[in-house]
Amino acid sequence: MPETLQEKLDLVQQRIHAACGRAHRDPAGVRLLAVTKIFPADVICEAYAVGLREFGENYVQEMEDKAGAVAGLQGARFHLIGHLQSNKTKKAAQLFSAIDSVDSVKLARRLDAEGVPLDITIEVKLSHEESKTGADAEGLADIVAAVRASGNLQLKGLMTVPPWSEDVERSRPYFAKLRELGRRHGIGELSMGMSHDLEVAIEEGATWVRVGTALFGKRRKP
Ligand SMILES: *Cc1c(COP(=O)(O)O)cnc(C)c1O
């Protein structure tokens, strides 16, 4: 079992490489988003020290609490991957380089109105789970248009989180669907796959995998 962060990172990178090999993909086309939610700021500093630069956080308030401690990490970029309420766009625009969870036209407009450049990924909900956030596939075109019409937002990608299952093959149809939506809307980046199902996501075209547990271990409950 890997113990240090470096060993865990090596293992995650081996998994990414192996999946790319099977899918005949260049590993350079799959980027790793290190998900540090619930972990303290020194875990981000440790991750930075082993070479990680792109970080995912779920909560605006938590990022605000950590921001001071990570301000000196040159080149580190923070993505908001958790749901964003439209009354928190000002803080979010200050704290994050990328908002990966945009799920409405209203939210896109509010983020644009904050007047700072932001990379945008639209979160799409492809299952019928009540608990999940994200735009319906039917509403996607309007959000895409709103982001493309904005002055400050750069449309980068689509994200999805399939329903949790022990059986990673159950994620595959959701990932394939996201790839199809990306193709249809001319959107290049696909953020899909987490610690347990990143291989399937890469086989289906993920350009970002979001990995928390496999790098940092189990999270305590928020
Ligand atoms: C927490 C979280 C992850 C990381 O999940 P792990 O299973 O710990 O790798 C990825 N994406 C989102 C949206 C998350 O909330």
Side-chain angles (χ1 to χ4, degrees):
M1 281 292 281
E3 280 178 14
T4 66
L5 177 56
Q6 182 69 64
E7 287 167 349
K8 289 174 181 165
L9 175 59
D10 289 346
L11 205 62
V12 167
Q13 275 165 348
Q14 283 165 27
R15 288 174 60 194
I16 292 171
H17 278 248
C20 284
R22 284 195 299 280
H24 308 289
R25 296 187 53 194
D26 179 355
V30 181
R31 307 188 63 198
L32 178 57
L33 189 68
V35 178
T36 45
K37 62 161 175 266
I38 316 295
F39 287 99
D42 34 307
V43 169
I44 299 173
C45 297
E46 202 193 331
Y48 183 90
V50 297
L52 292 164
R53 291 294 179 271
E54 305 277 342
F55 299 95
E57 287 281 344
N58 286 57
Y59 311 100
V60 173
Q61 181 60 53
E62 187 181 333
M63 185 72 236
E64 192 173 25
D65 294 342
K66 296 178 190 177
V70 300
L73 303 179
Q74 281 288 324
R77 296 178 78 249
F78 293 89
H79 300 234
L80 180 64
I81 61 171
H83 182 65
L84 177 60
Q85 291 168 280
S86 52
N87 63 353
K88 291 200 177 143
T89 52
K90 182 172 292 304
K91 281 247 166 75
Q94 287 164 357
L95 292 164
F96 293 96
S97 309
I99 309 294
D100 290 3
S101 53
V102 172
D103 61 358
S104 71
V105 169
K106 177 179 164 191
L107 186 58
R109 292 206 177 119
R110 292 228 181 171
L111 285 166
D112 187 41
E114 300 302 346
V116 292
L118 285 170
D119 286 349
I120 296 296
T121 288
I122 301 172
E123 183 179 3
V124 190
K125 177 177 155 170
L126 298 172
S127 66
H128 297 287
E129 291 170 290
E130 296 254 330
S131 59
K132 286 260 158 61
T133 54
D136 293 338
E138 297 73 49
L140 181 57
D142 287 345
I143 306 172
V144 169
V147 176
R148 286 194 169 135
S150 71
N152 298 305
L153 310 181
Q154 183 90 41
L155 183 58
K156 294 286 184 180
L158 298 178
M159 170 168 88
T160 201
V161 184
W164 168 263
S165 170
E166 291 266 311
D167 177 6
V168 296
E169 282 301 324
R170 295 215 174 193
S171 298
R172 190 182 297 277
Y174 297 98
F175 297 154
K177 177 81 201 245
L178 196 72
R179 183 188 62 222
E180 167 55 23
L181 289 172
R183 196 196 55 73
R184 196 185 304 165
H185 293 280
I187 299 169
E189 302 286 334
L190 299 174
S191 174
M192 54 191 200
M194 318 198 294
S195 290
H196 68 299
D197 59 5
L198 66 88
E199 283 90 350
V200 177
I202 289 168
E203 289 165 16
E204 295 300 329
T207 66
W208 284 95
V209 289
R210 306 180 309 273
V211 178
T213 311
L215 289 172
F216 306 114
K218 278 208 155 55
R219 290 177 288 273
R220 58 172 176 72
K221 291 267 181 267

